[in-house]
Amino acid sequence: MQTEIRSAAEPIYQALKTGILSGELAPGQPLRQDEIARLHGVSKIPVREALLRLEIDGYVLLRKNRGATVRGLSAPEILNIMDIRVALECLALGLAIPQMGPSDLAEARRVLDQYAQATDVVRLSALNLAFHQALYAPSDNAELLRMISDLQHRIGPYIQHEMTRATGHVRPQDEHLEILLACEAQDADRAVSLLRRHIETTKREMAAWLRRRGFGAIPLQGDTK
């Protein structure tokens, strides 16, 4: 019985998580069990199971007599995510460099060339993620790549776009190029050191941005208005 419930809850969990990370479901938005059950053609039991998983994973708040709502991120949580990113992404790059072939490096350079030409904040943010993903993909460690992707998306597009505005694209572009050149030279120590500095600089800029905005809680995505 429990296996059947978990099986029925899985697509609901994935659909809600996707909606939260994409911005379709905004912070503070109620998640009504009866509506979700009707949408998916199930009883409330697998819906409750999905919501419990989402609460454990930090995407949803469940409160007695108030039901479930989409959860936002606090400023400290965002900065903690950046710390975890440093550890995981440096590990991924260190594993990836010995496995990098010409096509991997060509893909990273192609994305970086597009980044250099982009001006739109949304486009720059997407290309930034694509460049990092291109560098880590040769690590051939699916679980590690999944964890990195989850962390990147957990911060959400709203914060990512605002940080792109705050940092501009010149400094990240220059640092990306340095990292790529080190990868092309198969200099793993230098590439990992440059990546660490790159993410840590972004974290400092993010902390300054959060202080200026006076945020105590940041949405996973979407505007705060």
Side-chain angles (χ1 to χ4, degrees):
M1 180 66 176
Q2 190 61 34
T3 301
E4 293 176 0
I5 293 172
R6 288 175 181 167
S7 178
E10 180 63 23
I12 302 170
Y13 170 88
Q14 294 296 340
L16 291 173
K17 180 179 176 181
T18 298
I20 291 168
L21 293 178
S22 69
E24 181 182 350
L25 298 172
Q29 182 172 335
L31 301 171
R32 296 183 174 87
Q33 293 186 33
D34 53 350
E35 293 180 3
I36 297 169
R38 185 166 57 252
L39 178 64
H40 289 270
V42 297
S43 70
K44 290 184 181 180
I45 296 174
V47 175
R48 283 196 293 270
E49 176 75 16
L51 291 173
L52 285 170
R53 283 184 57 194
L54 288 164
E55 182 184 40
I56 291 170
D57 291 346
Y59 295 106
V60 164
L61 284 176
L62 289 173
R63 294 178 178 172
K64 189 175 181 179
N65 301 324
R66 293 183 60 181
T69 56
V70 177
R71 183 180 181 274
L73 288 175
S74 69
E77 284 174 320
I78 290 176
L79 298 179
N80 287 342
I81 286 174
M82 295 297 294
D83 286 335
I84 300 170
R85 277 191 57 194
V86 170
L88 295 184
E89 294 186 35
C90 286
L91 173 60
L93 185 60
L95 293 173
I97 288 175
Q99 309 299 325
M100 284 183 179
S103 61
D104 299 311
L105 295 166
E107 173 63 13
R109 187 166 285 277
R110 183 189 68 80
V111 175
L112 193 55
D113 288 344
Q114 291 182 353
Y115 185 93
Q117 300 300 319
T119 56
D120 176 73
V121 167
V122 175
R123 178 71 171 156
L124 284 165
S125 182
L127 288 169
N128 177 68
L129 286 178
F131 175 74
H132 283 266
Q133 289 166 354
L135 291 182
Y136 310 148
S139 68
D140 199 27
N141 187 318
E143 284 301 305
L144 178 58
L145 295 176
R146 180 187 60 77
M147 292 169 68
I148 290 170
S149 179
D150 284 349
L151 286 172
Q152 289 170 337
H153 288 95
R154 183 80 185 279
I155 290 176
Y158 171 68
I159 297 300
Q160 290 171 353
H161 298 165
E162 289 301 311
M163 279 307 303
T164 299
R165 290 189 181 95
T167 62
H169 72 278
V170 175
R171 191 269 299 171
Q173 168 73 10
D174 290 344
E175 293 178 358
H176 287 161
L177 180 57
E178 282 190 284
I179 294 167
L180 180 56
L181 289 173
C183 291
E184 290 174 340
Q186 288 284 296
D187 190 341
D189 290 342
R190 176 168 170 76
V192 169
S193 177
L194 289 168
L195 176 63
R196 181 181 302 277
R197 186 176 69 186
H198 172 66
I199 300 175
E200 288 176 346
T201 299
T202 300
K203 179 192 171 184
R204 288 194 296 271
E205 291 179 342
M206 180 174 287
W209 179 82
L210 293 171
R211 288 194 300 270
R212 288 195 303 272
R213 296 296 296 265
F215 277 129
I218 309 298
L220 289 171
Q221 74 301 299
D223 206 330
T224 57
K225 297 178 181 178

